[in-house]
Amino acid sequence: MANRVVSVNPHVYAPETTTTIMRDVIIALCPAVVASVLFFGVRSLLVEAVCVIVAVLCEWGFEKICKRPVTIGDLSAVVTGLLLALNLPVTIPLWQAAFGALVAIVVVKQLFGGIGMNFANPAITARIVMLVAFGANMTHWAPAAFSGAPADAVTAATPLSIIAGINGVSAGTNTVADLPSLLDMFLGARGGSLGETSCLALLLGGVYLIARKVITWHTPVAFIGTVLVLTALLGQQPLYQVMAGGLFIGAFFMATDYTTSPPTPAGKLIFGVGCGLITVCIRVWGNYPEGVSFSILLMNILNPYICQWTRTKPFGGVKA
Amino acid sequence: MFKGKLHGVHPPHMKNTAGNRPTRMPVPPMITVPMSMNIGAPAKPVVKPGDEVKVGQLIAEAGGFMSAPIYSGVSGKVKRLDEILSSNGRFDTAIVIESDGLQTEYEGLEKPVITDQKSFVDAVRACGVIGLGGAGFPTSVKLNVDPDRVHHIIINGAECEPYITSDTRTMIDNASRIINGAQLLQKYYTADNIIIGIEDNKPECITIMKEAGRGVPGFEVAELPALYPQGGEKVLIYNTTGEIVPEGKLPIDVGCIVINCTTLAVIAKYIETGMPLVEKVITVDGSAVANPQNLIVPVGTPIKDVLDYVGLKAEPRKVLYGGPMMGISVPNLDAPVMKNTNAILAFAEKEAADPTPTACIRCGRCVAHCPFHLMPLEIERAYNERDGAALKALKVNLCMECGCCSYGCPARRPLVQINKLAKGVLNKYNAELKEAEEKKKAKEAARKEAGVNG
Ligand code: SF4
Ligand code: SF4
């Protein structure tokens, strides 16, 4: 008689797997990829391709060397590479982009044990490393197409650096008149990283992820909501603040990273509010015009504690 | 206090056989009746090889308070008493009876005389019934409580496992029996209400039960969402009455008795006719089964005979007692249909293959799906560290092994299995704690004594 499978229940599973989830994230990032090409040209695709390919190769290579099971099939390295690329300026030298992908996969992810084990978001951490290592290249913003910037301009200010100039935090002679229109902000015709400028594209992706139940609303709503309310209270052009910088991509795609954020709704709310607070502090009082990456990294570090505080209360549980 | 909703999952219903009225399968040539079908003590055989038995005749008496008697489902001759390996991995005695194919009823069948609650409980005990929803808890033990403590009687019609429709058929085909049973319960327990919980994916059952129960004092039909596992005892109690059964307590401690609808119908049948529990309606389905259907078979019928009768269209690579969420996989098709078997599912290679687990990505789905708001991902971490204190804090002891967490895990972590093992670690930890405490007490007592003497 054929040997029969004997296993513990359940004997059926929901269709989602790690791979289908990562595939959904990639699908959700597609509008942002299209926007990047639209506003920053075809070189965007090159940067994205380099980051994705290097990320996948590093994951494969590292796992081979360490004789671990190869997990590139779960597509998580593709997601990391793509997210990193979307957080880089279009003019970034390709070898620097490749270096960033290597840092993300090898240093931040694999050295901590691979998928599910890293404490910090690989793409964010790699971006911060690059910011420190290649400061000039990382803050060189080419003007976006359709943004009304002079065609021969080689650099453009980002809305946040303009606001920083207005606030007198950084040197600059900008005035409110230099800010792009709110519509341009929403569509993405402004200076910034490849994938962060188009709020519309990111919103589409975010809604898709929520509809597919890949993420819940808690983190993005708490994150964006906190920035909105705080900047309004501080008189800081809240609508600009919300749409500017990497807030949307951070709130929908980076702060929602499973491994580095809490699993419970309460934890997600705390995480989102914390990210929002830190972002506003950095933007308003800090030396950097942008604070989304730092805020998420800081909250990643606090994540184990948030997880501890926000454990669920078991149904019918009695205190010992 | 806990507020809010209990979570769950939506496995495909697959109730392919809901419209299929159960038919009687031809009598199998041989039945094997295990003595350990209920939770508690095994029954004690009262027949020996060579004895003639008839349908409804006692073949094993209850082996204690927490036990139930067993009656023959066929007429024929006792062949032998066997040692069989049961699906829970323990050895068990079984009575093997060769059927004469005549199904002659035992002439000694008598309707029980019921005058009060005590004689009612005695009848339930004599009828041999145990929790037929799957748990196998002797029903008479559940009903042997002070009637003043009972506020809600809840009839479980929430057949939430995919595929299985045997309770559905009881409600459709035997509604009057369920209602008769309900009236008896009402008579001897005078509860505030008697609620039958049915999920809204069984509109026919809801209509029929509403119609049948009209005029019964306190009778209500609770329409529940078709969210697995509505039929879990604590889930059903909470969703029909709002009561929460605390850790370490029983439903009766919050004034509730839960009884499966088929169990109740069997009790009513016994009281009406004197025929105890000897046969079961089972759903036979799954991707390897050619003609999914509901069958009436004697308790003890080998699974092999059942599958042969319905026909297979593929090699059955995995065969289950019960549904795909909580069912037990059976290695050996000689294993019999038991009292609490409500389905035999046979799956072909594709559905049978065990998924390969990958690393936990900490997505939180297991937490979001757990009806009891447990944290399987943290339980797994604590289990890997064999951390008894953490497992205690995480309350793994509350896990009902419903399977929701594993079902929705994208990494296919074997969370139910881990929870089972973690319960073992926790028990050991608790035992050690107790031992340490006792030692401490003994030491202190000794010291005191020494102090007094010195
Ligand atoms: S559902 Fe699976 S992958 Fe997700 S947190 Fe739970 S155990 Fe980890
Ligand atoms: S098996 Fe246990 S931990 Fe998993 S969902 Fe069910 S009750 Fe929760």
Side-chain angles (χ1 to χ4, degrees):
Chain A
M1 198 185 288
N3 60 327
R4 250 163 269 287
V5 181
V6 177
S7 60
V8 171
N9 66 307
H11 309 281
V12 275
Y13 297 91
E16 290 82 23
T17 63
T18 305
T19 308
T20 68
I21 289 169
M22 294 301 159
R23 190 188 305 146
D24 270 338
V25 176
I26 295 168
I27 293 172
L29 284 171
C30 282
V33 169
V34 171
S36 72
V37 177
L38 225 57
F39 294 117
F40 301 107
V42 274
R43 192 172 195 276
S44 313
L45 280 182
L46 199 60
V47 176
E48 284 148 9
V50 165
C51 285
V52 169
I53 292 168
V54 172
V56 173
L57 279 180
C58 286
E59 180 132 305
W60 177 84
F62 191 90
E63 287 174 335
K64 275 278 170 205
I65 290 168
C66 297
K67 301 205 162 55
R68 289 191 199 156
V70 171
T71 59
I72 55 172
D74 67 21
L75 301 181
S76 65
V78 176
V79 170
T80 300
L82 194 53
L83 277 174
L84 175 65
L86 293 176
N87 275 289
L88 302 177
V90 67
T91 48
I92 191 86
L94 293 181
W95 71 269
Q96 293 182 353
F99 173 80
L102 181 130
V103 168
I105 295 294
V106 175
V107 181
V108 191
K109 184 179 178 188
Q110 289 295 344
L111 285 181
F112 283 89
I115 186 165
M117 303 297 289
N118 49 301
F119 78 91
N121 185 310
I124 293 243
T125 315
R127 177 176 191 250
I128 291 173
V129 169
M130 290 174 75
L131 209 56
V132 176
F134 321 119
N137 288 329
M138 285 295 287
T139 50
H140 177 276
W141 309 112
F146 318 113
S147 64
D152 57 350
V154 284
T155 63
T158 68
L160 283 176
S161 57
I162 297 172
I163 292 177
I166 298 168
N167 287 339
V169 170
S170 70
T173 51
N174 299 303
T175 62
V176 178
D178 293 324
L179 283 172
S181 74
L182 278 175
L183 183 67
D184 278 351
M185 293 285 292
F186 185 66
L187 296 178
R190 57 167 159 115
S193 301
L194 284 183
E196 72 177 19
T197 64
S198 176
C199 294
L200 174 66
L202 293 165
L203 199 59
L204 279 177
V207 168
Y208 174 79
L209 288 185
I210 293 174
R212 296 277 297 159
K213 298 203 164 87
V214 170
I215 61 170
T216 63
W217 57 268
H218 302 85
T219 314
V221 168
F223 194 167
I224 296 173
T226 303
V227 172
L228 187 78
V229 170
L230 269 186
T231 49
L233 290 178
L234 294 169
Q236 290 282 333
Q237 291 104 340
L239 285 181
Y240 274 101
Q241 287 284 1
V242 163
M243 291 195 283
L247 184 57
F248 267 55
I249 195 169
F252 282 107
F253 291 94
M254 325 272 270
T256 53
D257 174 40
Y258 291 149
T259 305
T260 56
S261 72
T264 60
K268 288 182 207 296
L269 287 176
I270 295 176
F271 192 89
V273 170
C275 286
L277 275 175
I278 300 170
T279 299
V280 172
C281 290
I282 295 177
R283 281 187 183 178
V284 176
W285 295 295
N287 267 334
Y288 283 94
E290 172 57 318
V292 168
S293 296
F294 291 105
S295 74
I296 296 175
L297 182 62
L298 277 170
M299 291 310 286
N300 284 164
I301 293 168
L302 289 180
N303 180 41
Y305 299 96
I306 302 174
C307 291
Q308 279 292 332
W309 301 327
T310 55
R311 285 200 169 167
T312 51
K313 289 204 175 43
F315 176 76
V318 176
K319 281 221 179 73
Chain B
M1 198 35 112
F2 180 92
K3 274 194 216 83
K5 270 202 208 131
L6 301 187
H7 305 148
V9 292
H10 289 105
H13 296 149
M14 308 298 279
K15 303 276 190 185
N16 312 315
T17 52
N20 183 277
R21 208 185 169 95
T23 50
R24 208 167 282 278
M25 181 180 126
V27 194
M30 196 91 84
I31 62 172
T32 304
V33 189
M35 295 298 101
S36 297
M37 294 191 275
N38 54 272
I39 290 180
K44 283 199 211 102
V46 296
V47 289
K48 52 185 189 315
D51 285 0
E52 297 275 344
V53 293
K54 291 181 180 150
V55 177
Q57 186 173 340
L58 185 77
I59 53 174
E61 60 186 14
F65 173 70
M66 188 72 117
S67 187
I70 301 171
Y71 301 86
S72 177
V74 297
S75 57
K77 194 183 261 176
V78 176
K79 286 291 280 185
R80 56 180 187 273
L81 300 190
D82 246 356
E83 282 293 297
I84 59 165
L85 187 62
S86 70
S87 56
N88 61 16
R90 260 174 293 206
F91 279 98
D92 189 13
T93 307
I95 302 175
V96 182
I97 305 170
E98 190 177 40
S99 154
D100 59 12
L102 301 174
Q103 291 302 82
T104 326
E105 265 185 30
Y106 179 53
E107 48 291 329
L109 293 183
E110 260 173 55
K111 285 192 230 174
V113 182
I114 298 175
T115 50
D116 53 5
Q117 189 225 356
K118 189 183 167 302
S119 50
F120 176 69
V121 173
D122 287 344
V124 171
R125 187 173 169 78
C127 142
V129 79
I130 59 174
L132 300 183
F137 191 86
T139 312
S140 62
V141 177
K142 219 182 225 187
L143 291 175
N144 192 15
V145 292
D146 175 3
D148 290 342
R149 293 180 69 197
V150 180
H151 298 295
H152 311 285
I153 294 168
I154 302 159
I155 305 171
N156 195 344
E159 195 171 37
C160 53
E161 275 271 12
Y163 294 96
I164 311 180
T165 60
S166 52
D167 285 346
T168 302
R169 288 316 305 189
T170 305
M171 288 185 271
I172 295 174
D173 304 325
N174 276 320
S176 62
R177 283 257 161 80
I178 298 176
I179 294 300
N180 291 348
Q183 275 169 317
L184 283 168
L185 288 171
Q186 195 53 315
K187 189 163 165 195
Y188 297 114
Y189 293 88
T190 52
D192 306 341
N193 51 11
I194 178 154
I195 311 164
I196 181 163
I198 309 173
E199 296 144 299
D200 58 15
N201 64 342
K202 304 176 188 56
E204 194 180 354
C205 298
I206 293 175
T207 318
I208 290 177
M209 290 316 302
K210 272 189 179 157
E211 190 56 40
R214 197 163 286 160
V216 178
F219 184 82
E220 291 166 31
V221 177
E223 295 181 31
L224 305 168
L227 176 72
Y228 178 88
Q230 290 302 311
E233 193 167 61
K234 289 181 185 177
V235 178
L236 188 66
I237 291 173
Y238 182 69
N239 287 346
T240 52
T241 67
E243 297 286 351
I244 298 168
V245 182
E247 196 177 346
K249 298 275 182 196
L250 294 170
I252 189 64
D253 295 316
V254 293
C256 295
I257 286 183
V258 181
I259 188 162
N260 167 271
C261 60
T262 301
T263 305
L264 193 55
V266 167
I267 294 170
K269 180 180 177 187
Y270 175 64
I271 290 169
E272 278 166 46
T273 67
M275 178 58 82
L277 175 63
V278 294
E279 60 185 16
K280 275 306 299 280
V281 173
I282 55 168
T283 299
V284 192
D285 201 342
S287 59
V289 172
N291 300 300
Q293 56 192 289
N294 287 313
L295 288 179
I296 306 172
V297 300
V299 171
T301 304
I303 291 177
K304 196 158 32 90
D305 292 9
V306 173
L307 293 180
D308 282 347
Y309 176 70
V310 297
L312 292 169
K313 59 181 182 195
E315 170 68 29
R317 289 278 287 126
K318 191 190 245 183
V319 176
L320 302 180
Y321 274 132
M325 292 299 290
M326 288 190 80
I328 297 169
S329 49
V330 202
N332 180 351
L333 299 192
D334 293 327
V337 169
M338 299 203 277
K339 283 181 181 178
N340 59 343
T341 304
N342 42 23
I344 298 289
L345 303 181
F347 292 101
E349 180 63 37
K350 184 162 163 267
E351 292 77 13
D354 268 333
T356 318
T358 53
C360 167
I361 53 174
R362 302 189 62 74
C363 68
R365 280 176 177 74
C366 50
V367 185
H369 290 156
C370 176
F372 293 164
H373 298 220
L374 302 178
M375 301 192 82
L377 82 165
E378 300 296 346
I379 293 172
E380 181 173 6
R381 276 193 175 183
Y383 170 72
N384 289 340
E385 309 278 318
R386 301 296 184 273
D387 185 344
L391 290 172
K392 192 172 185 149
L394 287 162
K395 303 271 182 218
V396 65
N397 51 313
L398 289 173
C399 170
M400 60 175 155
E401 296 168 21
C402 67
C404 290
C405 49
S406 303
Y407 172 82
C409 174
R412 301 291 186 258
R413 305 297 312 156
L415 299 169
V416 175
Q417 193 173 352
I418 290 161
N419 287 358
K420 280 177 192 252
L421 296 168
K423 284 180 192 176
V425 173
L426 175 59
N427 287 341
K428 202 169 142 227
Y429 171 80
N430 281 337
E432 280 166 9
L433 266 191
K434 214 170 148 198
E435 202 176 299
E437 200 146 292
E438 266 160 23
K439 260 191 201 149
K440 208 169 124 195
K441 262 192 203 147
K443 237 189 207 165
E444 244 157 55
R447 196 180 302 144
K448 259 189 203 149
E449 202 145 293
V452 170
N453 293 342

